[in-house]
Amino acid sequence: MQQGPAPGQIVAAWQARQAVTSATGRARSVPSRHRLAAKPATLADNPGMNPLLGRLHAYPFERLNALAKDVVPNPALRHISLGLGEPKHPAPALVEEALCSNLAGLSNYPATAGEPALREAIAGWIGRRYGVQLDARTQILPVNGSREALFSLAQAVVDPTAADAVVVCPNPFYQIYEGAALLAGARTAFVNSNPARNFACDWDQIDEATWARTQLVYACSPGNPTGAVMPLSEWQQLFELSDRFGFVIASDECYSEIYFREDAPLGALEAAKALGRDDFRNLIVLSSLSKRSNVPGMRSGFVAGDAKVMKAFLLYRTYHGSAMSKVIQAASIAAWNDEAHVEANRAAYRAKFAAVTPLLAEVLDVRLPDAGFYLWAGIPKHLHGGDDIAYSLDLLAQYNVAVLPGSLLAREAHGVNPGAGRIRMALVADTAECTEAAQRIVAHIRSLS
């Protein structure tokens, strides 16, 4: 494998991070002038704009692009990206056929609540997958992808008149949780994942005073980026906290159908039923066809759970104007009613992870996740002082492979950034491309050791 020349000065931000590394080799926080695009420019010169927009953080990819703006990737190697978690397997033929066969739906306004046939199809899938029976009329809503619903749910649930409202998020996390909380007028509290406990969230990190102000908790199982699945005991703890303090739980389960062992990941509805919570009080589950069926461009998912919360959410969505096209609904029915394409998709991921994970395990702290299509890997501490950003930029410069630094997916909380020293790799391309990327990473690390 041909290796490019040493990059010399990769980026000023990297140099700054190296300069502030302590004598123990632990990277300290980057000075504020090097937190490139950490937040948007001030809105003070735009009177009349929502001031909460100024609280938003730049997206991880935006921050990484800013840090990598001066990097010149090795031109001798074609670019391979393991950064963006966008499915690249082909969309199922039956979904494409359903889209083309239902174009007459374009001539009608869709209902916000969705067509009864779609709600019934989703209810049927939930029953087959989790053994849970829901009322399709009152407990299920189709949504334009789980991302849109994760954001809008906070706007419906959080009381904007409460000056001290809190939304609790896992850490590291999908940044929509934070943005939804901030634009709802709440502040965020983070629960760090613990590598010693299969990256389980340590809910005990939140004190009682904070729980008392909490209105919404985001959970992600299987987790992004860790791939960890919440066990029944963890759900029980979260349900008991919800009962005590009255907050809503939003369970993001969009990776639930990509798993590597015989048993499918436990879902929140399934956990609630096992614990006798048949009313699913204060529980909302969000899922999507994007990963399950490789159709991220359709923007199709669902929200299901507590009928009282769903009623309020439907009212919000009626004014929000977020009805799903009848054409997309027809294709979604076809997808939810078929498991053959899901099984084939899962088999493709299993083969890919079986080929790639052992290669990377030779040089990284990484193992097969419970589920999802990410590898969450720890880099050797002697490489760039364990600095995940510096390592990622060097990998891009030397071997033209893009990965996402873990520290950009997390916030400093409880004295640490739980993403520091790790990288997220999305194995979404075909097996050959992912294997080549893994081989380059192995060569890169060995060249630095």
Side-chain angles (χ1 to χ4, degrees), residues 207-218:
D207 58 46
E208 291 217 2
T210 302
W211 281 128
R213 299 193 302 275
T214 297
Q215 297 191 17
L216 176 64
V217 171
Y218 284 108

Side-chain angles (χ1 to χ4, degrees), residues 24-341:
T24 62
R26 182 180 303 168
R28 301 173 183 158
S29 298
V30 183
S32 59
R33 66 180 182 278
H34 294 295
R35 294 194 183 112
L36 302 182
K39 288 192 176 183
T42 178
L43 299 177
D45 55 346
N46 292 300
M49 292 292 182
N50 184 346
L52 295 178
L53 289 169
R55 300 173 64 191
L56 296 178
H57 293 255
Y59 220 56
F61 299 103
E62 181 184 350
R63 295 176 63 192
L64 182 59
N65 288 339
L67 290 165
K69 65 182 178 63
D70 295 327
V71 173
V72 179
N74 185 347
L77 298 169
R78 70 183 181 98
H79 181 68
I80 298 178
S81 176
L82 303 181
L84 187 62
E86 180 181 29
K88 295 188 181 300
H89 294 179
L94 64 93
V95 172
E96 295 177 341
E97 292 168 4
L99 281 168
C100 295
S101 300
N102 289 276
L103 295 179
L106 291 172
S107 62
N108 304 110
Y109 281 118
T112 303
E115 295 296 309
L118 175 56
R119 297 199 305 273
E120 290 289 351
I122 294 169
W125 179 79
I126 291 172
R128 295 188 299 274
R129 172 64 170 81
Y130 297 112
V132 171
Q133 301 306 313
L134 296 180
D135 184 334
R137 183 179 59 87
T138 63
Q139 293 182 297
I140 294 171
L141 280 176
V143 294
N144 296 314
S146 56
R147 173 175 178 162
E148 173 264 313
L150 285 163
F151 176 83
S152 58
L153 180 65
Q155 317 313 305
V157 166
V158 174
D159 179 1
T161 67
D164 58 352
V166 172
V167 173
V168 174
C169 305
N171 196 27
F173 62 99
Y174 181 41
Q175 195 160 318
I176 295 303
Y177 309 155
E178 179 187 58
L182 296 177
L183 286 177
R187 73 172 183 86
T188 50
F190 293 102
V191 180
N192 293 349
S193 67
N194 185 350
R197 296 175 51 235
N198 189 35
F199 300 102
C201 286
D202 184 1
W203 303 104
D204 292 331
Q205 290 182 330
I206 304 299
D207 58 46
E208 291 217 2
T210 302
W211 281 128
R213 299 193 302 275
T214 297
Q215 297 191 17
L216 176 64
V217 171
Y218 284 108
C220 187
S221 180
N224 173 10
T226 68
V229 172
M230 289 175 59
L232 186 63
S233 59
E234 192 175 343
W235 280 117
Q236 182 172 9
Q237 181 186 12
L238 200 53
F239 291 150
E240 290 173 352
L241 287 166
S242 174
D243 288 344
R244 183 177 175 191
F245 297 103
F247 56 75
V248 171
I249 301 169
S251 179
D252 180 358
E253 301 182 6
C254 69
Y255 297 95
S256 67
E257 303 314 290
I258 303 172
Y259 53 91
F260 306 99
R261 298 169 180 84
E262 288 304 312
D263 294 334
L266 176 69
L269 294 171
E270 185 180 15
K273 180 183 177 182
L275 295 169
R277 303 172 64 86
D278 294 329
D279 59 353
F280 307 109
R281 59 188 176 277
N282 281 332
L283 174 63
I284 296 296
V285 168
L286 304 97
S287 191
S288 168
L289 290 174
S290 294
K291 279 78 175 178
R292 174 188 180 271
S293 300
N294 297 310
V295 288
M298 269 179 44
R299 311 312 303 137
S300 178
F302 71 78
V303 175
D306 185 335
K308 290 188 293 186
V309 179
M310 296 294 292
K311 183 178 181 180
F313 192 37
L314 175 57
L315 175 62
Y316 174 87
R317 294 178 65 76
T318 300
Y319 281 84
H320 189 51
S322 50
M324 182 187 295
S325 161
K326 285 190 174 184
V327 179
I328 300 300
Q329 290 191 59
S332 300
I333 291 170
W336 289 119
N337 284 338
D338 181 75
E339 285 298 316
H341 76 278

Side-chain angles (χ1 to χ4, degrees), residues 10-11 13-14 17 34-38 58-71 79 81-84 175 387-396 401-409 423-424:
I10 290 187
V11 288
W14 182 4
R17 290 177 65 89
H34 294 295
R35 294 194 183 112
L36 302 182
Y59 220 56
F61 299 103
E62 181 184 350
R63 295 176 63 192
L64 182 59
N65 288 339
L67 290 165
K69 65 182 178 63
D70 295 327
V71 173
H79 181 68
S81 176
L82 303 181
L84 187 62
Q175 195 160 318
D387 187 325
D388 51 290
I389 293 178
Y391 171 77
S392 300
L393 296 177
D394 196 19
L395 175 65
L396 179 62
V401 174
V403 297
L404 190 58
S407 61
L408 301 186
L409 289 164
I423 55 174
R424 192 191 78 174

Side-chain angles (χ1 to χ4, degrees), residues 366-383:
V366 66
R367 64 177 184 271
L368 191 70
D370 292 338
F373 53 43
Y374 301 115
L375 285 177
W376 183 236
I379 62 174
K381 293 183 179 179
H382 67 277
L383 299 182

